[in-house]
Amino acid sequence: ITEIIPSLVGMTTKQEWPKEVSGLTLKNVTLTLYKDNKEIFKELGECLFTHTGISGPIVLSASAYLSKPYDKFKVVLDLKPALSIEKLDTRIKRDFQKNLNKDFANSLNELLPKNLIPIIIKLSGIDPKIKVNQITKEQRLKLGNVIKNLTFKLKGTNSINTAIVTRGGIDIKEINPQTMESTIIKNLYFAGEIIDVDALTGGFNIQIACSTGYLAGLGAYENNN
């Protein structure tokens, strides 16, 4: 039996600020998962902030690629994937032009969700009370970089009780793939999630359960009749 760990599950982050915007959903953002700074997964979709980290469809899919130790992984969110860093800077300059005499904290309402603005400002390192007309090019570019590269270091995942499926289980090397019978114990058959097989969300795991269940039932019937 290989180690059982949660899959298709929310991630817990070392950054604690997500709890400040818990419940906020971001649509059409890109998530990139890195292991040892090497990209291993990338997807566009919805991300949800939770009191312990991040979740949502793209996070659940990315979690299928996690393994222990989790501190080898990091997640980077691009909040504006449709814009290059140059086009985003042009957009920020346009917004700044409309709000030259306002405090920086009040200049991003058209660019970001209201609840997220204080977080992004803090991460940018720019004084929220500075007037927009005093912000330097360097500071503006730093803001754009934060928006395009919102980075999380991982602590791990949420509880296995909250996972859609598990990774791990009966080693497939010890199962006859034609009948799902154990190669070690005669007349013992396996099906579904007890087997060390898992897939991304979208019905694939249901297909695994149905297909292996069919084979196991057929194998057991034919072997005993």
Side-chain angles (χ1 to χ4, degrees):
I1 299 175
T2 61
E3 182 182 11
I4 295 173
I5 62 173
S7 186
L8 305 188
V9 65
M11 300 178 187
T12 56
T13 63
K14 292 183 178 180
Q15 286 78 7
E16 296 185 355
W17 65 257
K19 65 185 177 184
E20 298 176 33
V21 288
S22 180
L24 174 65
T25 297
L26 300 178
K27 297 183 178 181
N28 298 318
V29 297
T30 296
L31 178 151
T32 307
L33 179 68
Y34 295 88
K35 181 179 182 180
D36 295 325
N37 293 317
K38 181 180 179 181
E39 180 183 318
I40 60 172
F41 175 85
K42 189 172 186 177
E43 188 169 282
L44 173 73
E46 289 188 14
C47 177
L48 168 70
F49 293 110
T50 71
H51 68 285
T52 58
I54 52 177
S55 189
I58 54 176
V59 175
L60 299 187
S61 293
S63 72
Y65 294 85
L66 294 179
S67 59
K68 296 179 180 179
Y70 294 118
D71 59 8
K72 289 187 176 183
F73 295 87
K74 70 176 179 179
V75 167
V76 177
L77 293 181
D78 182 349
L79 305 187
K80 298 293 178 182
L83 300 177
S84 65
I85 190 69
E86 293 80 16
K87 288 184 178 179
L88 175 60
D89 187 49
T90 299
R91 165 69 193 276
I92 293 172
K93 283 192 288 186
R94 189 168 68 241
D95 287 356
F96 279 2
Q97 196 62 36
K98 298 177 186 177
N99 301 284
L100 285 176
N101 297 312
K102 287 187 177 181
D103 290 348
F104 175 48
N106 300 321
S107 67
L108 301 175
N109 293 329
E110 294 182 20
L111 187 66
L112 298 166
K114 184 177 179 181
N115 293 353
L116 193 59
I117 290 174
I119 304 294
I120 298 299
I121 288 177
K122 186 176 181 179
L123 294 174
S124 74
I126 304 172
D127 182 352
K129 295 182 180 179
I130 192 175
K131 296 299 180 184
V132 170
N133 58 28
Q134 295 178 306
I135 294 176
T136 66
K137 178 182 179 180
E138 182 182 9
Q139 289 175 315
R140 194 183 68 237
L141 292 174
K142 175 82 179 292
L143 171 64
N145 186 62
V146 170
I147 293 172
K148 294 286 287 182
N149 296 281
L150 193 57
T151 302
F152 301 89
K153 293 182 178 178
L154 299 186
K155 282 166 103 178
T157 69
N158 291 341
S159 164
I160 198 166
N161 295 326
T162 67
I164 296 177
V165 296
T166 58
R167 295 178 69 187
I170 306 299
D171 194 331
I172 58 173
K173 294 176 182 177
E174 299 176 355
I175 300 174
N176 181 337
Q178 303 300 318
T179 63
M180 305 311 296
E181 184 179 17
S182 169
T183 58
I184 297 175
I185 302 175
K186 190 169 176 57
N187 252 349
L188 177 61
Y189 297 83
F190 301 108
E193 200 163 338
I194 198 171
I195 303 169
D196 184 11
V197 179
D198 65 280
L200 297 182
T201 191
F204 300 114
N205 293 287
I206 294 175
Q207 181 66 62
I208 290 169
C210 292
S211 297
T212 57
Y214 173 82
L215 287 174
L218 193 63
Y221 175 80
E222 292 180 347
N223 196 40
N224 291 279
N225 285 278

